[in-house]
Amino acid sequence: VVFQVIKCKAAVAWGAGKPLSLEEVEVAPPKAHEVRIKIVATAVCHTDAYTLSGADPEGCFPVILGHEGAGIVESVGEGVTKVKPGDTVIPLYIPQCGECKFCKNPKTNLCQKIRITQGKGVMPDGTSRFTCKGKQIFHFMGTSTFSEYTVVADISVAKIGAAAPLDKVCLLGCGISTGYGAAVNTAKVEPGSTCAVFGLGGVGLAVIMGCKIAGASRIIGIDLNKDKYAKAKEFGATECISPEDLKKPIQEVLVEMTDGGVDYSFECIGNVGVMRAALEACHKGWGVSVIVGVAAAGQEISTRPFQLVTGRTWKGTAFGGWKSVDSVPKLVTDYMSKKIKIDEFVTHTLPFDKINEAFELMHAGK
């Protein structure tokens, strides 16, 4: 088989703070243990916007962003056995090699096999598969889904059922899996429990869905944007409140509302002040608070140690704790059998060339 360089459209981020630019790029063939994918659908996520803003210390430009995608395998490099051309796949920003000590440990999903090169915006061999106007373009999060074709490591793909609608299941590449897993894997929410979810974007809604599926009896949604309350209730929130309407700090109000605090709280914003509030809203003796949102570089969290001495637990989660290659196909199956929602998360579907509008809608909270 003679592999060809593919010319296609991609949204290139030439520099921090600039809009994405739709360009013709060249996508090189996959090398050993790499997979080239025709991306059918991609979603936008705050993490893409965070890197685009220039605040991400790992951000390198020019780059093709995007990490919530789904597509069809176009070709595979030497030594690839798990997928073949024509397979339906979801690229994974947290791979699963099955060999590193992280993959062998059931307590974590943070495979470290290609972490260093991925963070530098290159493939495991240290080079890029993208060029544009004669310049090398960096990869992003090992996925780069804002391109009609992308190349990923073979440990960074989940093969899924061919019947799955790709414009929906692409969301399992990050947001929905992250929020849902934060509730069911990281917090391990129990039936009858009381939960508080800070931030009612896509991730927060997925946390609410997870809490509800786990049998929580009370789920309190917290957001400044009241336009998000109706959707949160549709997903299972029993009530919603805005910190702006309160005379006291949100954690004090939650402690009063819940006779001592919530059993589980989730921070889905990436704001260190809210992270503190979420911990302090937890019940003494057993409350668990999970940090889901990613704070900007260099920020630090604080609370009084007494909060932890008196029995609260502070946890964090990445990609909802799912071992990616094993779990994403199962999440697709759960969606196809209507155990979890995805369609309800989709507010807008736009053509690829309107990608900057998609970011505007996200920033506007729409």
Side-chain angles (χ1 to χ4, degrees):
V1 182
V2 182
F3 287 131
Q4 305 294 328
V5 169
I6 288 179
K7 288 187 174 177
C8 66
K9 278 194 299 187
V12 176
W14 289 106
K18 297 179 184 155
L20 301 177
S21 176
L22 223 60
E23 307 279 3
E24 183 180 78
V25 298
E26 294 86 43
V27 184
K31 294 190 183 178
H33 292 289
E34 295 177 3
V35 179
R36 188 161 60 181
I37 302 167
K38 179 185 199 312
I39 296 288
V40 174
T42 186
V44 296
C45 171
H46 276 283
T47 311
D48 303 305
Y50 168 62
T51 299
L52 187 58
S53 74
D56 182 355
E58 267 194 356
C60 18
F61 296 93
V63 65
I64 295 172
L65 299 170
H67 63 284
E68 289 186 335
I72 311 290
V73 175
E74 177 271 334
S75 57
V76 299
E78 200 185 322
V80 175
T81 55
K82 298 227 165 100
V83 293
K84 62 186 186 305
D87 283 351
T88 307
V89 292
I90 291 177
L92 306 166
Y93 71 89
I94 294 181
Q96 187 185 352
C97 72
E99 293 163 0
C100 70
K101 69 178 179 182
F102 287 77
C103 281
K104 287 181 171 165
N105 191 322
K107 294 178 180 175
T108 185
N109 63 328
L110 297 174
C111 173
Q112 297 295 292
K113 179 91 173 220
I114 60 173
R115 178 72 207 104
I116 290 164
T117 49
Q118 181 170 315
K120 289 178 178 161
V122 290
M123 294 299 289
D125 72 345
T127 63
S128 167
R129 300 291 160 269
F130 297 120
T131 48
C132 180
K133 299 178 179 169
K135 289 195 179 78
Q136 172 184 284
I137 309 291
F138 287 109
H139 294 250
F140 177 67
M141 289 176 76
T143 52
S144 289
T145 60
F146 292 172
S147 175
E148 291 179 324
Y149 286 85
T150 189
V151 179
V152 305
D154 63 352
I155 59 172
S156 303
V157 286
K159 181 182 167 180
I160 64 166
L166 301 188
D167 62 330
K168 304 294 192 294
V169 297
C170 62
L171 291 169
L172 292 172
C174 178
I176 295 179
S177 304
T178 297
Y180 178 52
V184 300
N185 296 332
T186 310
K188 295 187 168 61
V189 171
E190 295 159 322
S193 53
T194 298
C195 303
V197 181
F198 292 77
L200 301 176
V203 174
L205 293 175
V207 170
I208 290 173
M209 175 173 77
C211 292
K212 186 179 180 182
I213 289 170
S217 60
R218 193 172 178 192
I219 304 168
I220 304 163
I222 299 124
D223 204 297
L224 299 172
N225 182 351
K226 294 183 180 173
D227 295 340
K228 295 188 178 278
Y229 293 178
K231 199 78 165 169
K233 286 178 179 167
E234 190 187 315
F235 274 87
T238 50
E239 62 227 276
C240 293
I241 51 176
S242 167
E244 283 182 336
D245 294 344
L246 310 172
K247 305 262 192 306
K248 302 184 205 173
I250 182 78
Q251 54 266 56
E252 287 181 30
V253 172
L254 285 165
V255 166
E256 283 173 16
M257 281 171 66
T258 57
D259 184 29
V262 298
D263 302 312
Y264 301 97
S265 71
F266 301 86
E267 199 279 355
C268 307
I269 300 162
N271 177 311
V272 293
V274 177
M275 290 173 190
R276 177 173 189 161
L279 176 79
E280 295 177 357
C282 282
H283 202 288
K284 186 182 197 172
W286 63 76
V288 174
S289 187
V290 181
I291 293 174
V292 192
V294 178
Q299 298 202 326
E300 297 184 353
I301 47 173
S302 60
T303 190
R304 295 201 173 143
F306 194 65
Q307 292 284 333
L308 301 173
V309 171
T310 51
R312 292 169 196 81
T313 303
W314 220 344
K315 299 180 90 163
T317 188
F319 195 55
W322 301 106
K323 297 249 187 200
S324 58
V325 174
D326 292 343
S327 305
V328 168
K330 292 184 182 136
L331 290 166
V332 170
T333 305
D334 285 347
Y335 160 67
M336 298 299 278
S337 63
K338 298 195 161 48
K339 186 188 166 189
I340 61 171
K341 298 180 183 192
I342 299 183
D343 299 23
E344 294 80 356
F345 285 87
V346 180
T347 56
H348 299 75
T349 304
L350 301 168
F352 187 31
D353 57 13
K354 296 264 185 2
I355 189 160
N356 285 309
E357 284 182 34
F359 275 89
E360 285 163 21
L361 287 162
M362 179 172 67
H363 287 307
K366 294 179 179 171

